[in-house]
Coordinates of all heavy atoms in Angstrom, one line a residue:
M1 N 78.0 105.2 121.2 CA 78.1 105.3 119.8 C 79.5 104.8 119.4 O 80.5 105.1 120.0 CB 78.1 106.8 119.4 CG 78.1 107.1 117.9 SD 76.6 106.6 117.0 CE 75.4 107.7 117.8
V2 N 79.5 103.9 118.4 CA 80.7 103.4 117.8 C 80.8 103.8 116.4 O 79.9 103.8 115.6 CB 80.7 101.8 117.9 CG1 82.0 101.3 117.2 CG2 80.6 101.4 119.3
D3 N 82.0 104.3 116.0 CA 82.3 104.8 114.7 C 83.2 103.8 114.0 O 84.3 103.4 114.5 CB 83.0 106.1 114.7 CG 82.2 107.2 115.3 OD1 81.0 107.2 115.2 OD2 82.8 108.1 116.0
F4 N 82.8 103.3 112.8 CA 83.5 102.4 112.0 C 84.1 103.3 110.8 O 83.4 104.0 110.1 CB 82.7 101.3 111.5 CG 82.1 100.5 112.6 CD1 80.8 100.8 113.1 CD2 82.8 99.5 113.2 CE1 80.3 100.1 114.1 CE2 82.3 98.8 114.3 CZ 81.0 99.0 114.7
L5 N 85.4 103.2 110.6 CA 86.0 103.9 109.5 C 86.3 103.1 108.3 O 86.8 102.0 108.4 CB 87.3 104.6 110.0 CG 87.2 105.7 111.1 CD1 86.8 105.1 112.4 CD2 88.4 106.5 111.2
F6 N 86.1 103.6 107.1 CA 86.3 102.9 105.9 C 87.0 103.9 104.9 O 86.7 105.1 104.9 CB 85.0 102.5 105.2 CG 84.2 101.5 106.1 CD1 83.3 102.0 107.0 CD2 84.5 100.2 106.1 CE1 82.6 101.1 107.8 CE2 83.9 99.3 107.0 CZ 82.9 99.8 107.8
F7 N 87.9 103.3 104.1 CA 88.6 104.2 103.1 C 88.3 103.6 101.7 O 88.0 102.4 101.5 CB 90.1 104.2 103.3 CG 90.8 102.9 103.2 CD1 91.4 102.5 101.9 CD2 91.0 102.1 104.3 CE1 92.0 101.3 101.8 CE2 91.7 100.9 104.1 CZ 92.2 100.5 102.9
V8 N 88.2 104.5 100.8 CA 87.8 104.2 99.4 C 89.1 103.6 98.7 O 90.2 104.0 98.9 CB 87.3 105.4 98.7 CG1 88.4 106.5 98.5 CG2 86.7 105.0 97.3
E9 N 88.8 102.5 98.0 CA 89.9 101.8 97.3 C 89.9 102.1 95.8 O 91.0 102.3 95.2 CB 89.8 100.3 97.5 CG 90.9 99.5 96.9 CD 92.3 99.8 97.5 OE1 92.4 100.2 98.6 OE2 93.3 99.5 96.8
E10 N 88.8 102.3 95.2 CA 88.7 102.5 93.8 C 88.2 103.9 93.5 O 87.3 104.4 94.2 CB 87.7 101.5 93.2 CG 88.0 100.1 93.4 CD 89.3 99.7 92.7 OE1 89.6 100.2 91.6 OE2 90.0 98.8 93.2
L11 N 88.8 104.6 92.6 CA 88.5 106.0 92.3 C 87.0 106.1 91.8 O 86.4 107.2 92.1 CB 89.4 106.5 91.2 CG 90.9 106.7 91.6 CD1 91.7 107.2 90.5 CD2 91.0 107.6 92.8
D12 N 86.5 105.1 91.2 CA 85.1 105.2 90.7 C 84.1 104.6 91.7 O 83.0 104.3 91.3 CB 85.0 104.6 89.4 CG 85.3 103.1 89.4 OD1 85.9 102.6 90.4 OD2 85.0 102.4 88.4
A13 N 84.5 104.4 93.0 CA 83.6 103.8 94.0 C 82.4 104.7 94.1 O 82.5 105.9 94.0 CB 84.3 103.7 95.3
N14 N 81.2 104.1 94.3 CA 79.9 104.9 94.5 C 79.7 105.2 95.9 O 79.1 104.4 96.7 CB 78.8 104.0 93.8 CG 77.5 104.8 93.7 OD1 77.3 105.8 94.5 ND2 76.7 104.5 92.8
W15 N 80.1 106.4 96.3 CA 79.9 106.8 97.7 C 78.4 106.8 98.1 O 78.1 106.4 99.2 CB 80.5 108.2 97.9 CG 82.0 108.3 97.9 CD1 82.8 108.2 96.8 CD2 82.8 108.5 99.0 NE1 84.1 108.3 97.2 CE2 84.2 108.5 98.5 CE3 82.6 108.6 100.4 CZ2 85.2 108.7 99.4 CZ3 83.7 108.8 101.2 CH2 85.0 108.8 100.7
D16 N 77.6 107.4 97.2 CA 76.2 107.5 97.5 C 75.5 106.1 97.8 O 74.7 106.0 98.7 CB 75.4 108.2 96.4 CG 75.9 109.7 96.3 OD1 76.3 110.3 97.3 OD2 75.7 110.2 95.2
A17 N 75.8 105.1 97.0 CA 75.3 103.8 97.1 C 75.8 103.2 98.5 O 75.0 102.5 99.2 CB 75.6 102.9 96.0
F18 N 77.0 103.4 98.8 CA 77.6 102.9 100.0 C 76.9 103.5 101.2 O 76.4 102.8 102.1 CB 79.1 103.2 100.1 CG 79.8 102.7 101.3 CD1 79.5 101.5 101.9 CD2 80.9 103.5 101.8 CE1 80.2 101.1 103.1 CE2 81.6 103.1 102.9 CZ 81.2 101.9 103.6
E19 N 76.7 104.8 101.2 CA 76.0 105.5 102.3 C 74.6 105.0 102.4 O 74.1 104.8 103.5 CB 76.1 107.0 102.2 CG 77.5 107.5 102.4 CD 77.6 109.0 102.3 OE1 77.7 109.5 101.2 OE2 77.6 109.7 103.4
K20 N 73.9 104.9 101.3 CA 72.5 104.5 101.3 C 72.4 103.1 101.9 O 71.5 102.8 102.7 CB 72.0 104.5 99.9 CG 70.5 104.1 99.8 CD 70.0 104.2 98.4 CE 68.5 103.8 98.3 NZ 68.0 103.9 96.9
A21 N 73.3 102.2 101.6 CA 73.2 100.8 102.1 C 73.5 100.8 103.6 O 72.8 100.1 104.4 CB 74.2 99.9 101.4
L22 N 74.4 101.6 104.1 CA 74.7 101.7 105.5 C 73.5 102.3 106.3 O 73.1 101.8 107.3 CB 75.9 102.6 105.7 CG 77.3 101.9 105.4 CD1 78.4 103.0 105.4 CD2 77.6 100.8 106.4
R23 N 72.9 103.3 105.7 CA 71.8 104.0 106.4 C 70.6 103.0 106.5 O 69.8 103.0 107.4 CB 71.4 105.2 105.7 CG 72.4 106.3 105.9 CD 72.0 107.6 105.2 NE 73.1 108.6 105.3 CZ 73.5 109.4 104.4 NH1 72.9 109.4 103.2 NH2 74.4 110.3 104.6
A24 N 70.4 102.2 105.5 CA 69.4 101.2 105.5 C 69.5 100.2 106.7 O 68.5 99.6 107.1 CB 69.3 100.4 104.2
K25 N 70.7 100.0 107.2 CA 71.0 99.2 108.3 C 71.1 99.9 109.6 O 71.5 99.4 110.6 CB 72.3 98.4 108.1 CG 72.2 97.4 106.9 CD 71.2 96.3 107.2 CE 71.2 95.2 106.2 NZ 70.3 94.1 106.5
G26 N 70.8 101.2 109.6 CA 70.8 102.0 110.8 C 72.0 102.8 111.2 O 72.1 103.3 112.3
F27 N 73.0 102.9 110.2 CA 74.2 103.7 110.5 C 74.0 105.1 110.0 O 73.2 105.4 109.1 CB 75.3 103.1 109.7 CG 75.8 101.7 110.1 CD1 75.2 100.6 109.7 CD2 76.9 101.6 111.0 CE1 75.6 99.3 110.1 CE2 77.3 100.4 111.4 CZ 76.7 99.2 111.0
R28 N 74.6 106.0 110.7 CA 74.7 107.4 110.3 C 76.1 107.5 109.6 O 77.1 106.9 110.0 CB 74.7 108.4 111.4 CG 73.4 108.4 112.1 CD 73.3 109.5 113.2 NE 74.7 109.7 113.8 CZ 74.9 110.3 114.9 NH1 73.9 110.8 115.6 NH2 76.1 110.5 115.4
T29 N 76.2 108.3 108.5 CA 77.4 108.4 107.8 C 77.9 109.9 107.7 O 77.1 110.8 107.6 CB 77.3 107.9 106.4 OG1 76.3 108.6 105.6 CG2 76.9 106.4 106.4
I30 N 79.2 110.0 107.7 CA 79.9 111.3 107.5 C 81.1 111.0 106.6 O 81.9 110.1 106.8 CB 80.4 111.9 108.9 CG1 79.3 112.1 109.8 CG2 81.2 113.1 108.6 CD1 79.7 112.5 111.2
R31 N 81.3 111.9 105.6 CA 82.5 111.8 104.8 C 83.5 112.7 105.4 O 83.3 113.9 105.6 CB 82.1 112.3 103.3 CG 81.2 111.4 102.6 CD 80.9 111.9 101.2 NE 79.8 111.2 100.6 CZ 79.5 111.2 99.4 NH1 80.2 111.9 98.5 NH2 78.4 110.6 98.9
D32 N 84.7 112.2 105.6 CA 85.8 112.9 106.1 C 86.3 113.9 105.1 O 86.2 113.7 103.9 CB 86.9 112.0 106.6 CG 87.9 112.6 107.5 OD1 87.6 113.4 108.4 OD2 89.1 112.4 107.2
D33 N 86.9 115.0 105.6 CA 87.4 116.1 104.8 C 88.6 115.6 103.9 O 88.9 116.2 102.9 CB 87.9 117.2 105.6 CG 86.8 118.0 106.3 OD1 85.6 117.9 105.8 OD2 87.0 118.6 107.3
D34 N 89.2 114.4 104.2 CA 90.3 114.0 103.4 C 89.9 113.4 102.1 O 90.8 113.2 101.2 CB 91.2 112.9 104.2 CG 90.4 111.6 104.4 OD1 89.3 111.4 103.9 OD2 91.0 110.7 105.1
G35 N 88.6 113.2 101.9 CA 88.1 112.8 100.6 C 88.4 111.3 100.3 O 88.1 110.8 99.2
E36 N 88.8 110.6 101.3 CA 89.1 109.1 101.2 C 88.5 108.3 102.2 O 88.5 107.1 102.1 CB 90.6 108.9 101.2 CG 91.4 109.6 100.1 CD 92.9 109.4 100.2 OE1 93.3 108.7 101.1 OE2 93.6 109.9 99.3
T37 N 87.9 108.9 103.3 CA 87.4 108.2 104.4 C 85.9 108.4 104.7 O 85.5 109.6 104.6 CB 88.2 108.5 105.7 OG1 89.6 108.3 105.4 CG2 87.8 107.7 106.9
L38 N 85.2 107.4 105.0 CA 83.8 107.5 105.4 C 83.7 107.0 106.8 O 84.2 105.9 107.1 CB 82.9 106.7 104.5 CG 81.4 106.9 104.8 CD1 80.7 107.5 103.6 CD2 80.8 105.6 105.3
I39 N 83.0 107.7 107.7 CA 82.8 107.3 109.1 C 81.3 106.8 109.1 O 80.4 107.6 108.8 CB 83.0 108.4 110.0 CG1 84.4 108.9 109.9 CG2 82.7 107.9 111.5 CD1 84.7 110.2 110.6
A40 N 81.1 105.6 109.6 CA 79.8 105.0 109.7 C 79.5 104.8 111.2 O 80.2 104.0 111.9 CB 79.6 103.7 109.0
S41 N 78.6 105.6 111.8 CA 78.4 105.6 113.2 C 77.1 104.7 113.5 O 76.1 104.8 112.8 CB 78.1 107.0 113.8 OG 79.3 107.8 113.5
F42 N 77.2 104.0 114.6 CA 76.1 103.2 115.1 C 75.9 103.3 116.6 O 76.9 103.2 117.3 CB 76.3 101.7 114.7 CG 75.0 100.9 114.8 CD1 74.2 100.8 113.7 CD2 74.7 100.2 116.0 CE1 73.0 100.0 113.9 CE2 73.6 99.5 116.1 CZ 72.7 99.4 115.1
G43 N 74.7 103.5 117.0 CA 74.5 103.5 118.4 C 73.2 104.3 118.8 O 72.6 104.9 117.9
P44 N 72.9 104.4 120.0 CA 73.7 103.8 121.1 C 73.8 102.3 121.0 O 73.0 101.6 120.5 CB 73.0 104.2 122.4 CG 71.6 104.6 121.9 CD 71.7 105.0 120.5
I45 N 75.0 101.8 121.5 CA 75.3 100.4 121.4 C 76.0 100.0 122.7 O 76.8 100.8 123.3 CB 76.1 100.1 120.2 CG1 76.5 98.7 120.0 CG2 77.4 100.9 120.2 CD1 77.2 98.3 118.7
A46 N 75.8 98.8 123.2 CA 76.6 98.3 124.3 C 78.0 98.1 123.8 O 78.2 97.6 122.8 CB 76.0 97.0 124.8
V47 N 79.0 98.6 124.6 CA 80.4 98.4 124.2 C 80.9 97.1 124.7 O 81.5 97.0 125.8 CB 81.2 99.6 124.7 CG1 82.6 99.4 124.2 CG2 80.6 100.9 124.2
T48 N 80.5 96.0 124.0 CA 81.0 94.7 124.3 C 81.5 94.1 123.0 O 81.2 94.6 121.9 CB 79.8 93.8 124.7 OG1 78.9 93.6 123.7 CG2 79.1 94.3 126.0
A49 N 82.4 93.2 123.1 CA 83.0 92.6 121.9 C 81.9 92.1 121.0 O 82.0 92.3 119.7 CB 84.0 91.5 122.3
A50 N 80.9 91.4 121.5 CA 79.9 90.8 120.6 C 79.1 91.9 119.9 O 78.8 91.8 118.7 CB 79.0 89.9 121.4
S51 N 78.7 92.9 120.6 CA 77.8 93.9 120.0 C 78.6 94.8 118.9 O 78.1 95.1 117.9 CB 77.2 94.8 121.0 OG 78.1 95.5 121.8
V52 N 79.9 95.1 119.3 CA 80.7 95.9 118.3 C 81.0 95.0 117.1 O 80.9 95.5 116.0 CB 82.0 96.4 119.0 CG1 82.9 97.0 117.9 CG2 81.7 97.4 120.1
W53 N 81.3 93.7 117.3 CA 81.7 92.9 116.2 C 80.4 92.7 115.3 O 80.6 92.7 114.1 CB 82.1 91.5 116.7 CG 82.2 90.5 115.6 CD1 81.4 89.4 115.4 CD2 83.0 90.5 114.4 NE1 81.7 88.7 114.3 CE2 82.6 89.4 113.6 CE3 83.9 91.4 113.9 CZ2 83.2 89.2 112.4 CZ3 84.5 91.2 112.7 CH2 84.1 90.1 111.9
A54 N 79.3 92.6 115.8 CA 78.1 92.4 115.0 C 77.9 93.5 114.0 O 77.6 93.3 112.8 CB 76.8 92.2 115.9
Q55 N 78.1 94.8 114.5 CA 77.9 95.9 113.6 C 79.1 96.1 112.7 O 79.0 96.6 111.6 CB 77.7 97.2 114.5 CG 76.4 97.2 115.3 CD 75.2 96.7 114.5 OE1 75.0 97.2 113.4 NE2 74.4 95.9 115.1
E56 N 80.3 95.7 113.2 CA 81.5 95.8 112.4 C 81.3 94.8 111.2 O 81.7 95.2 110.0 CB 82.7 95.4 113.2 CG 84.0 95.5 112.4 CD 85.2 95.3 113.3 OE1 85.1 94.7 114.3 OE2 86.3 95.8 112.8
E57 N 80.8 93.6 111.4 CA 80.6 92.7 110.3 C 79.6 93.2 109.3 O 79.9 93.1 108.1 CB 80.2 91.3 110.9 CG 80.0 90.3 109.8 CD 79.6 88.9 110.4 OE1 79.0 88.8 111.5 OE2 79.9 87.9 109.7
I58 N 78.5 93.7 109.8 CA 77.5 94.2 108.8 C 78.1 95.3 108.0 O 78.0 95.3 106.8 CB 76.3 94.7 109.6 CG1 75.5 93.6 110.2 CG2 75.4 95.6 108.7 CD1 74.5 94.0 111.3
S59 N 78.7 96.3 108.6 CA 79.3 97.5 107.9 C 80.4 97.1 107.0 O 80.5 97.6 105.9 CB 79.7 98.6 108.8 OG 80.7 98.2 109.7
T60 N 81.2 96.1 107.4 CA 82.4 95.7 106.5 C 81.9 95.0 105.3 O 82.4 95.2 104.2 CB 83.3 94.8 107.3 OG1 83.9 95.6 108.4 CG2 84.5 94.3 106.5
R61 N 80.9 94.1 105.4 CA 80.3 93.4 104.3 C 79.8 94.4 103.3 O 80.0 94.3 102.0 CB 79.3 92.4 104.7 CG 79.8 91.2 105.4 CD 78.7 90.3 105.8 NE 79.2 89.2 106.6 CZ 79.7 88.0 106.1 NH1 79.8 87.9 104.8 NH2 80.1 87.1 106.9
I62 N 79.1 95.4 103.8 CA 78.6 96.5 102.9 C 79.7 97.2 102.2 O 79.7 97.5 101.0 CB 77.6 97.4 103.7 CG1 76.4 96.7 104.1 CG2 77.3 98.7 102.8 CD1 75.6 97.5 105.2
A63 N 80.7 97.6 103.0 CA 81.9 98.3 102.5 C 82.6 97.6 101.3 O 82.8 98.1 100.3 CB 82.9 98.6 103.6
L64 N 82.8 96.3 101.6 CA 83.6 95.5 100.5 C 82.8 95.4 99.2 O 83.3 95.4 98.2 CB 83.9 94.1 101.1 CG 84.9 94.1 102.3 CD1 85.0 92.7 102.8 CD2 86.2 94.7 101.9
A65 N 81.4 95.4 99.4 CA 80.6 95.3 98.2 C 80.6 96.6 97.4 O 80.2 96.6 96.2 CB 79.2 95.0 98.6
H66 N 81.1 97.7 98.0 CA 81.1 99.0 97.3 C 82.5 99.6 97.1 O 82.7 100.8 97.0 CB 80.2 100.0 98.2 CG 78.8 99.7 98.1 ND1 78.2 98.8 99.0 CD2 77.8 100.1 97.3 CE1 76.9 98.7 98.7 NE2 76.7 99.5 97.6
D67 N 83.5 98.7 97.2 CA 84.9 99.1 96.9 C 85.5 100.0 98.0 O 86.3 100.9 97.8 CB 85.1 99.8 95.6 CG 84.9 98.8 94.4 OD1 85.3 97.6 94.6 OD2 84.2 99.2 93.4
F68 N 85.1 99.8 99.3 CA 85.6 100.5 100.4 C 86.2 99.4 101.3 O 85.8 98.2 101.3 CB 84.6 101.3 101.2 CG 84.1 102.5 100.5 CD1 83.3 102.5 99.4 CD2 84.6 103.8 101.0 CE1 82.9 103.7 98.8 CE2 84.2 104.9 100.3 CZ 83.3 104.9 99.3
Y69 N 87.2 99.8 102.2 CA 87.8 98.8 103.0 C 87.9 99.3 104.5 O 88.0 100.5 104.7 CB 89.3 98.5 102.5 CG 89.2 97.8 101.2 CD1 89.2 98.5 100.0 CD2 89.1 96.4 101.2 CE1 89.0 97.8 98.8 CE2 89.0 95.7 100.0 CZ 89.0 96.5 98.8 OH 88.8 95.8 97.6
P70 N 87.8 98.4 105.4 CA 87.8 98.8 106.8 C 89.1 99.4 107.3 O 90.2 99.0 106.8 CB 87.5 97.6 107.6 CG 87.8 96.5 106.7 CD 87.7 97.0 105.3
D71 N 89.0 100.4 108.1 CA 90.2 101.1 108.7 C 90.1 101.2 110.2 O 90.7 102.1 110.8 CB 90.4 102.5 108.0 CG 91.8 103.1 108.2 OD1 92.7 102.3 108.3 OD2 91.9 104.3 108.3
G72 N 89.3 100.3 110.8 CA 89.2 100.3 112.3 C 88.0 100.9 112.8 O 87.1 101.3 112.0
W73 N 87.9 101.1 114.1 CA 86.7 101.7 114.7 C 87.2 102.5 116.0 O 88.3 102.3 116.4 CB 85.7 100.6 115.1 CG 86.1 99.6 116.0 CD1 86.7 98.4 115.7 CD2 86.0 99.6 117.4 NE1 86.9 97.6 116.8 CE2 86.5 98.3 117.9 CE3 85.5 100.5 118.4 CZ2 86.5 98.0 119.3 CZ3 85.5 100.1 119.7 CH2 86.0 98.9 120.2
D74 N 86.3 103.3 116.4 CA 86.6 104.2 117.6 C 85.3 104.4 118.3 O 84.2 104.2 117.8 CB 87.2 105.5 117.1 CG 88.0 106.2 118.2 OD1 87.9 105.8 119.4 OD2 88.7 107.1 117.8
L75 N 85.4 104.9 119.5 CA 84.2 105.2 120.3 C 83.9 106.7 120.2 O 84.6 107.6 120.6 CB 84.4 104.9 121.8 CG 84.6 103.4 122.1 CD1 85.0 103.2 123.6 CD2 83.4 102.6 121.7
G76 N 82.8 107.0 119.5 CA 82.2 108.3 119.4 C 83.1 109.4 118.6 O 82.9 110.6 118.9
L77 N 83.9 109.0 117.7 CA 84.7 109.9 117.0 C 83.9 110.9 116.2 O 84.2 112.1 116.3 CB 85.6 109.1 116.0 CG 86.6 109.9 115.1 CD1 87.6 110.6 116.0 CD2 87.2 109.0 114.1
A78 N 82.8 110.5 115.5 CA 82.0 111.4 114.7 C 81.3 112.4 115.6 O 81.1 113.5 115.2 CB 81.0 110.6 113.9
D79 N 80.9 112.1 116.8 CA 80.3 113.0 117.7 C 81.2 114.1 118.2 O 80.7 115.1 118.6 CB 79.7 112.3 118.9 CG 78.5 111.4 118.6 OD1 77.9 111.7 117.5 OD2 78.2 110.5 119.3
A80 N 82.5 113.9 118.1 CA 83.4 115.0 118.6 C 83.5 116.1 117.6 O 84.0 117.2 117.9 CB 84.8 114.3 118.8
E81 N 83.0 115.9 116.4 CA 83.2 117.0 115.3 C 82.1 118.0 115.4 O 81.1 117.8 115.9 CB 83.2 116.3 114.0 CG 84.4 115.4 113.8 CD 84.4 114.8 112.5 OE1 83.5 115.0 111.6 OE2 85.4 114.0 112.2

């Protein structure tokens, strides 16, 4: 499982539309308690540069279209909660 982290840039960003678009591409989503971060998890996935990049590109394009910005990725962060 790879978790991609995104932070909201605009106060009026549509969280629900962002999550719906991610879920349509196979991501699971969790809103962080900080009220500014969304975690988009994808997997199981092979942990290779190509496979991680492919999902990072998809999720980042969706994020930018919804006024969210990438904040990195981690292995299985959402599963630890």
Side-chain angles (χ1 to χ4, degrees):
M1 184 72 62
V2 177
D3 298 327
F4 301 94
L5 288 75
F6 299 95
F7 65 92
V8 65
E9 182 64 24
E10 301 294 328
L11 294 176
D12 62 346
N14 188 333
W15 287 76
D16 292 333
F18 180 36
E19 288 182 282
K20 183 178 179 179
L22 287 168
R23 289 182 183 138
K25 293 293 185 179
F27 291 85
R28 291 186 331 198
T29 61
I30 297 172
R31 295 183 192 192
D32 193 46
D33 292 337
D34 69 5
E36 298 178 1
T37 306
L38 184 123
I39 302 167
S41 302
F42 192 89
I45 183 174
V47 183
T48 66
S51 61
V52 171
W53 167 246
Q55 298 310 317
E56 183 175 21
E57 181 178 24
I58 291 167
S59 59
T60 297
R61 288 181 187 273
I62 294 168
L64 294 175
H66 290 87
D67 294 319
F68 286 77
Y69 293 89
D71 196 30
W73 60 272
D74 201 346
L75 297 175
L77 180 67
D79 288 338
E81 296 178 1

